[in-house]
Amino acid sequence: MPIEFSSLTALLNHGYDTVIDVRSPAEFAEDHVPGAINLPALSNEQRAEVGTIYKQVSPFDGRKVGAAMVARNVADHISGPLADKDGSWRPLVYCWRGGQRSGSVASILTQIGWRADTIKGGYQSFRRLVNRSVYDAKLPHRFILLDGNTGTAKTALLPRLAARGAQVLDLEGLAAHRGSLLGSMPGGQPAQKAFETALAMALHKLDPAQPVVVEAESSKIGRLIVPPSLWTAMLKAPRIVIEAPLTARAEFLTRAYADIADNPDDIETRLAHLRRVRGHAIVDNWVNLLRAGDLTAFAAALMVDHYDPAYTKSRRLDERKVLSVVTTGTLDEAGQERSADAIWDEIKRF
């Protein structure tokens, strides 16, 4: 009988040797159960072909063609990735709805002698558990926002705080984006579903009895939306504000964004979106500094003309409690360490 999991905790503690996602590679890439491996019953192309036959010819023909494809693919998996599994190996198999694909694969594995089970409801049952945790349920965690102007090393301070014993939630890390106009990272962002799964897993590991430090973000990080349960909690959370002089912030941004400095054409394309907001003269000045290779002056101008005014405007609308203001003269290694010490002291008092 398919195994039913009533909570994320139960599913994550499944007790099986391997979780196998037999959906197509495209479905797997969008999102999957953490730790699962992808052994597709049908490839992306095969799934599309079977679906077309099912709809345009007949369900019977679609199932017949699909069954032959699944049998050949499973044979390849058995002689390939599963070749070294002994008789004691216990796999847990799932597909989209916990139906034919996972049932077919699990049946073949069981006939060999492996104790294979399936997840009742498949991926969709897992997705409902994730939705429940980040959309429906009120989070039990106590959050502290790490706030401050652009370039105050907020993200860089999170691992330093974690090293001191603080619980941290790195939203930009989970979203694979630095949360600004120039914040895209190599490899791009995950799908919204994958982001929510990663977020649900991160929250699951945190102790609700201890405060959690999270960087102050907008409701979107790149193209990804912060789910409502977390966003609601962040709106109510107190803040620790970091303040640093413009020169220190500009120097930090120059180092932090060094990976994109080699592609000025891409940066100029992104800056073009701000011409309607900031005007052509201001954006032209940014581009001139960028093309001249003066990245520190470019970063400073971008903050003075764009990021700082936007932050000041949002601050006027923000009534969250400020626990403390941490002021640092530098944002080099030593400056970040001093800031982390001061923030950690405040967290312990909280």
Side-chain angles (χ1 to χ4, degrees):
M1 295 292 291
I3 307 300
E4 183 173 8
F5 296 98
S6 60
S7 68
L8 282 176
T9 299
L11 195 153
L12 294 174
N13 296 327
H14 52 75
Y16 288 81
D17 296 318
T18 309
V19 179
I20 302 176
D21 186 324
V22 299
R23 297 177 302 156
S24 68
E27 293 172 298
F28 181 83
E30 183 181 28
D31 187 35
H32 54 267
V33 173
I37 64 171
N38 186 212
L39 299 180
L42 297 171
S43 69
N44 297 332
E45 296 76 17
Q46 289 171 333
R47 179 169 174 259
E49 180 182 348
V50 169
T52 299
I53 295 172
Y54 188 96
K55 293 179 180 179
Q56 296 184 4
V57 181
S58 74
F60 173 80
D61 287 289
R63 286 192 294 267
K64 184 172 66 173
V65 171
M69 291 176 175
V70 169
R72 286 191 290 269
N73 291 335
V74 174
D76 290 339
H77 299 327
I78 293 170
S79 61
L82 305 182
D84 64 341
K85 305 300 182 184
D86 60 25
S88 65
W89 178 62
R90 294 183 64 221
L92 180 64
V93 184
Y94 73 91
C95 60
W96 185 257
R97 298 183 183 87
Q100 289 183 334
R101 282 184 288 178
S102 59
S104 299
V105 174
S107 177
I108 296 172
L109 299 182
T110 301
Q111 291 300 315
I112 293 172
W114 287 314
R115 292 175 294 167
D117 287 310
T118 61
I119 296 178
K120 185 176 181 179
Y123 166 78
Q124 287 191 335
S125 66
F126 166 70
R127 181 63 193 168
R128 283 192 291 271
L129 295 176
V130 171
N131 274 355
R132 187 184 306 167
S133 67
V134 298
Y135 279 89
D136 302 332
K138 180 181 178 181
L139 294 178
H141 308 81
R142 296 184 297 146
F143 294 98
I144 298 175
L145 295 190
L146 199 57
D147 204 355
N149 276 313
T150 298
T152 47
K154 299 183 290 295
T155 302
L157 286 168
L158 292 179
R160 297 180 190 272
L161 292 172
R164 287 161 170 75
Q167 290 195 124
V168 302
L169 180 63
D170 183 1
L171 289 179
E172 292 188 0
L174 296 176
H177 196 279
R178 284 168 290 211
S180 67
L181 178 70
L182 306 179
S184 59
M185 299 171 67
Q189 293 189 269
Q192 180 70 31
K193 289 181 180 178
F195 171 60
E196 291 168 1
T197 290
L199 179 59
M201 296 304 104
L203 291 168
H204 184 268
K205 297 175 183 177
L206 298 173
D207 181 2
Q210 301 299 322
V212 178
V213 182
V214 58
E215 183 179 347
E217 299 280 358
S218 67
S219 59
K220 289 187 68 177
I221 305 174
R223 60 173 173 75
L224 299 178
I225 299 171
V226 177
S229 62
L230 177 58
W231 181 241
T232 299
M234 290 173 64
L235 289 175
K236 299 177 181 178
R239 311 175 279 162
I240 295 174
V241 179
I242 307 168
E243 292 185 350
L246 178 64
T247 52
R249 292 160 51 209
E251 290 169 0
F252 172 79
L253 278 188
T254 302
R255 296 190 300 271
Y257 283 72
D259 61 311
I260 67 171
D262 294 333
N263 194 350
D265 291 337
D266 180 55
I267 297 176
E268 184 174 349
T269 298
R270 298 191 221 178
L271 294 176
H273 297 292
L274 294 179
R275 289 187 177 276
R276 289 181 298 173
V277 180
R278 300 302 177 192
H280 291 290
I282 287 178
V283 175
D284 286 342
N285 180 54
W286 297 341
V287 171
N288 291 336
L289 293 171
L290 176 66
R291 294 294 182 183
D294 195 343
L295 299 180
T296 301
F298 165 70
L302 194 59
M303 287 187 288
V304 169
D305 297 330
H306 176 63
Y307 287 117
D308 287 3
Y311 179 78
T312 300
K313 181 179 179 180
S314 66
R315 174 69 64 82
R316 287 198 298 266
L317 302 175
D318 198 334
E319 298 179 353
R320 286 171 288 191
K321 178 182 178 182
V322 175
L323 296 177
S324 68
V325 176
V326 173
T327 303
T328 178
T330 66
L331 289 167
D332 55 10
E333 291 291 315
Q336 290 182 40
E337 284 295 301
R338 290 192 297 271
S339 297
D341 284 336
I343 294 167
W344 177 229
D345 288 341
E346 187 61 45
I347 294 170
K348 289 186 290 186
R349 283 193 291 270
F350 183 77

